[in-house]
Amino acid sequence: MSRLRSFQIAAAVGASYVIAVGASGQCEPSAIFGPVANYGTGASPHRLQVGDVNGDGFVDIVVSNRPADSVSVLLGNGDGTFADDVTYAGGDTIYGMALADLNGDNRLDIVTANSISDDVSVLLGNGDGTFAAQVRYAAGNGPHSVAVGDVNNDHKADIVVANRFSSDVSVFIGVGNGTFQPQVRYATATAPEFVDIGQANADGHFDIATSSASSGVVSVLLNNMDGTFAPHVDYAAGSFAYDLRFADVDADSVQDLVVAVGATGLGVLLGNGDGTYAPMVTYPTPSNGPFGLALADLDGDGDLDATTAKTNGSVAFVHLNDGTGGFEVVGSAAVGFEPNDVELADFNGDGRPDLVASLNVSAQISVLLNVCEGSGGGCNDADLAMPFGTLDFFDVLEFLQLFSEQDPAADLTGDGAFDFFDALEFLGLMSDGC
């Protein structure tokens, strides 16, 4: 199974895109990314998503254009270059965006969080890189970011939105055909801006985490195992807590929380495995300003590293993981003035995570290919679930679900049948490890 297929599985359940690659040797941090290539977008590009929207096996880029009320789609050519952007109308002032299969047709769709019109827009993918006209659903006040995942375990994609001005999240339960039930709202700490979905405990259900720049906290809402959520529990995060991700950064098979903290640097809350988190530890950047966040194994040592966008500068910081969830800034990549967001994906098929950044002022994105010889490789075909790069309980759950659905990703023997031999192959791959 390809890493791109792994991404599509993750996108179908709304997981953040985290790349992890095998430890085939390390490289110098200063030599990770090559020169910048710029591509035009709409005005003030904000959030980024990556995935194969036209089914050709190449990674494409989708960008939200905040004041232009649109999204730009740039189709990948498979060699690290991209076609000119094609824009699609969204709601009023698009801040957040997610890319996922919302109707179960194995095609990636778009959902945007529209801050001024207080709603979300759903644009269903046609499978050829084009998208249908938006359908909008009322949300809370000031929707700022969005995540997609199956929160009630009915194998249908649901939507979760962070509402900045009403201090809550909206949960839209999916019908399964790309439409959604009216929102149900759950309180968070004051003014949540970013949201992610992951598993804070081991109950097999997606939980919610939000971050708030103004209140300086991360809120965690545990799933009641039916798609409803318990009251939020807050953790101190420091001033200007921005983008956040669920990810296992200390390789204990428990999902931690990683936060871009604008006032200080990169914040890490290690998970205890029971839905609670240790106090945040912050790893400083040379200057303040981290905003966007992406995770990947950048140096090929098997640990998840990070890049953050310094929104009041012109660089993306490279944070290498020491293997225990501790991070150090070891360099930076010049991406262009005022990067809002960063994402990591393999744009040219060489097995290395490349970098894309959205540039607020110049109406462009910057693409930097990974030139680190030590960052290639990957885990094996049993690595089906987030976090990639580790084989754990989440991979077992994902295999069982895919097997029950007769998804091609579960046909590990490649014979077109879904039988005992696929299960044996899965157990063997799990035993082999990454």
Side-chain angles (χ1 to χ4, degrees):
M1 184 186 70
S2 68
R3 176 61 59 197
L4 182 55
R5 173 58 184 158
S6 291
F7 166 74
Q8 290 171 323
I9 292 170
V13 296
S16 304
Y17 187 17
V18 180
I19 301 175
V21 294
S24 56
Q26 301 182 37
C27 68
E28 291 299 319
S30 60
I32 292 177
F33 296 110
V36 170
N38 293 120
Y39 297 88
T41 65
S44 295
H46 195 61
R47 300 296 285 172
L48 292 161
Q49 291 283 284
V50 289
D52 180 10
V53 301
N54 61 347
D56 63 357
F58 305 139
V59 179
D60 311 306
I61 299 173
V62 183
V63 190
S64 67
N65 305 308
R66 185 174 56 195
D69 303 337
S70 67
V71 293
S72 291
V73 178
L74 295 88
L75 297 180
N77 297 317
D79 59 358
T81 66
F82 293 85
D84 291 341
D85 72 312
V86 177
T87 60
Y88 297 86
D92 192 349
T93 311
I94 300 172
Y95 272 92
M97 178 184 59
L99 194 62
D101 180 5
L102 300 177
N103 57 353
D105 63 357
N106 293 316
R107 302 170 179 174
L108 292 178
D109 311 302
I110 298 172
V111 57
T112 67
N114 312 316
S115 182
I116 299 301
S117 52
D118 291 338
D119 54 22
V120 297
S121 296
V122 171
L123 295 82
L124 296 180
N126 296 317
D128 58 0
T130 65
F131 292 84
Q134 63 176 319
V135 176
R136 290 157 75 166
Y137 297 85
N141 298 330
H144 200 86
S145 62
V146 59
V148 179
D150 179 10
V151 301
N152 60 348
N153 276 15
D154 64 354
H155 309 300
K156 300 170 185 176
D158 310 307
I159 296 173
V160 180
V161 180
N163 302 307
R164 183 180 183 185
F165 299 128
S166 53
S167 297
D168 53 23
V169 291
S170 296
V171 176
F172 300 84
I173 298 298
V175 176
N177 60 358
T179 65
F180 295 85
Q181 297 178 24
Q183 64 175 325
V184 177
R185 286 157 65 175
Y186 300 89
T188 66
T190 303
E193 294 188 32
F194 291 87
V195 65
D196 196 21
I197 297 173
Q199 298 200 23
N201 51 24
D203 65 3
H205 292 74
F206 281 115
D207 308 303
I208 297 172
T210 65
S211 57
S212 171
S214 60
S215 60
V217 301
V218 167
S219 294
V220 176
L221 293 80
L222 295 181
N223 197 319
N224 293 320
M225 302 178 66
D226 59 1
T228 67
F229 292 86
H232 63 98
V233 176
D234 298 334
Y235 298 85
S239 298
F240 304 107
Y242 290 125
D243 205 357
L244 85 164
R245 294 284 190 274
F246 277 101
D248 179 11
V249 296
D250 59 351
D252 63 353
S253 299
V254 174
Q255 290 197 334
D256 312 301
L257 285 168
V258 185
V259 187
V261 183
T264 51
L266 190 69
V268 177
L269 297 90
L270 294 179
N272 297 317
D274 59 357
T276 66
Y277 288 85
M280 175 178 283
V281 177
T282 303
Y283 301 93
T285 52
S287 57
N288 62 5
F291 186 81
L293 167 68
L295 300 174
D297 180 3
L298 295 173
D299 59 353
D301 66 354
D303 303 319
L304 286 177
D305 309 305
T307 58
T308 56
K310 179 177 166 54
T311 192
N312 59 351
S314 59
V315 300
F317 291 118
V318 176
H319 311 250
L320 293 189
N321 189 341
D322 64 7
T324 67
F327 289 84
E328 180 183 3
V329 174
V330 295
S332 61
V335 296
F337 187 56
E338 284 199 10
N340 267 328
D341 196 14
V342 286
E343 280 292 347
L344 293 156
D346 181 8
F347 296 135
N348 59 353
D350 65 357
R352 305 169 188 162
D354 307 307
L355 174 67
V356 58
S358 58
L359 306 179
N360 179 53
V361 173
S362 59
Q364 293 179 319
I365 59 171
S366 294
V367 175
L368 295 82
L369 297 182
N370 190 319
V371 295
C372 171
E373 294 296 335
S375 62
C379 202
N380 63 37
D381 283 358
D383 189 11
L384 294 168
M386 294 286 295
F388 295 133
T390 61
L391 296 177
D392 54 26
F393 176 69
F394 301 114
D395 297 300
V396 176
L397 289 179
E398 187 68 21
F399 174 75
L400 293 174
Q401 178 176 326
L402 293 170
F403 187 87
S404 69
E405 297 171 352
Q406 296 195 356
D407 189 290
D411 181 18
L412 297 178
T413 59
D415 61 1
F418 297 87
D419 52 28
F420 176 72
F421 297 104
D422 295 304
L424 284 180
E425 182 68 15
F426 177 78
L427 292 175
L429 292 169
M430 290 290 289
S431 177
D432 291 343
C434 284

